[in-house]
Amino acid sequence: MALSWRGKRQVTYLGFIVGLFILILVPTAYFLYPKVSCTDGRQNGSEEGVDCGGACENICKAPPKEVLVEWVRTFSLSAGAGSAVAYITNPNRDLYAENVSYQFKLYNSSNILIAERRGKTSIFPGASFPVFSGAIGVGNEIPNRASFSLILDPEWQSVNLPKLQVSNQIFEASPPKLSADIRNSGVTRLKNVIVTAVLFDADDNAYAASETVLEELQGGGGGKVIFTWSSLPYPPVRILIYPKPLPVK
């Protein structure tokens, strides 16, 4: 049966509205929703993990495991100042996160909060490493214990990290001084490599820590780091020195 003039007009209007809707919806979706890249080492678009799931052909592995806090210590540096170090483990062997926000809280012997300090750290793949924060103002209080937590979940990515080696550790007792050589076994020049040192007593408890920065490490080259303290109660039984390189991009 042929459509009436009114019916034809309604069909025309309907077609116009549908066409207009498509013209508006498609560009809007294009700009509002990011393109999916299944090779950029990040979780974006409709991906269910890093470069997997959603629009990507790769099937996602198990969800990332939580970062573990092995222990936390706090130390008095001088009148009105303290420091803290946390030893954390990333059980994800292939995942790295950069600029992860964290928080230290320092308490006195009465378990009263006396100071807080926020900062950012990298989370290295499949590694256990220290996170250090120094010169924390504590007023007239003496820090007795500390807590450590990540403020936000890490944004995991897959990266190529340079290999750094530590050698020739030398500790001098008076005045307290620790030196070591850091070697870059890769070919890329590195800048601003953070290096953390932790000292342990006979019971394997951390009792002092410090941090320094190597401004530059040439590919295949090395550099020396030096840590100093105003005083220490005794020489360390064990020393941990951990360099923290940024990813090679």
Side-chain angles (χ1 to χ4, degrees):
M1 182 177 64
L3 292 174
S4 66
W5 177 84
R6 183 177 180 182
K8 290 180 180 179
R9 187 174 63 174
Q10 289 176 341
V11 171
T12 302
Y13 285 162
L14 179 61
F16 174 77
I17 293 173
V18 171
L20 183 63
F21 179 75
I22 294 175
L23 287 175
I24 295 175
L25 178 62
V26 172
T28 301
Y30 179 84
F31 286 106
L32 290 182
Y33 294 94
K35 293 182 179 179
V36 176
S37 173
C38 299
T39 58
D40 61 1
R42 294 181 180 276
Q43 181 178 350
N44 45 36
S46 63
E47 294 176 357
E48 298 171 1
V50 177
D51 294 340
C52 67
C56 298
E57 294 183 358
N58 296 330
I59 298 175
C60 290
K61 299 179 181 178
K65 299 177 182 178
E66 291 187 1
V67 175
L68 306 176
V69 180
E70 306 290 354
W71 50 258
V72 186
R73 300 285 187 276
T74 183
F75 323 108
S76 293
L77 294 177
S78 59
S83 65
V85 61
Y87 194 67
I88 66 177
T89 296
N90 176 13
N92 304 290
R93 300 188 61 84
D94 301 319
L95 296 180
Y96 167 86
E98 200 168 32
N99 294 325
V100 181
S101 297
Y102 66 79
Q103 181 180 53
F104 277 107
K105 292 185 177 181
L106 274 59
Y107 302 83
N108 62 16
S109 57
S110 299
N111 208 34
I112 296 174
L113 179 66
I114 59 175
E116 297 182 44
R117 169 67 61 83
R118 293 191 175 193
K120 293 185 178 181
T121 186
S122 295
I123 307 293
F124 298 93
S128 298
F129 56 93
V131 178
F132 173 79
S133 185
I136 303 173
V138 295
N140 296 323
E141 299 285 353
I142 298 177
N144 178 259
R145 74 172 186 89
S147 66
F148 174 88
S149 61
L150 299 180
I151 299 174
L152 297 174
D153 292 334
E155 294 184 5
W156 297 112
Q157 55 182 303
S158 299
V159 296
N160 178 28
L161 290 180
K163 303 296 184 182
L164 302 183
Q165 299 171 332
V166 181
S167 61
N168 300 325
Q169 298 183 20
I170 299 176
F171 180 81
E172 301 175 25
S174 185
K177 176 182 175 182
L178 172 64
S179 63
D181 294 330
I182 309 295
R183 181 173 179 79
N184 176 11
S185 58
V187 297
T188 304
R189 182 181 66 171
L190 305 177
K191 291 186 176 182
N192 300 322
V193 177
I194 298 174
V195 187
T196 306
V198 184
L199 309 183
F200 297 84
D201 60 20
D203 295 321
D204 210 35
N205 292 317
Y207 72 94
S210 186
E211 199 164 73
T212 189
V213 176
L214 269 174
E215 294 183 357
E216 185 175 82
L217 267 179
Q218 295 289 342
K224 183 176 288 294
V225 290
I226 297 176
F227 307 90
T228 60
W229 292 266
S230 58
S231 64
L232 291 174
Y234 37 78
V237 174
R238 182 170 72 91
I239 297 173
L240 169 65
I241 297 179
Y242 194 95
K244 302 175 179 179
L246 296 177
V248 176
K249 299 181 178 179

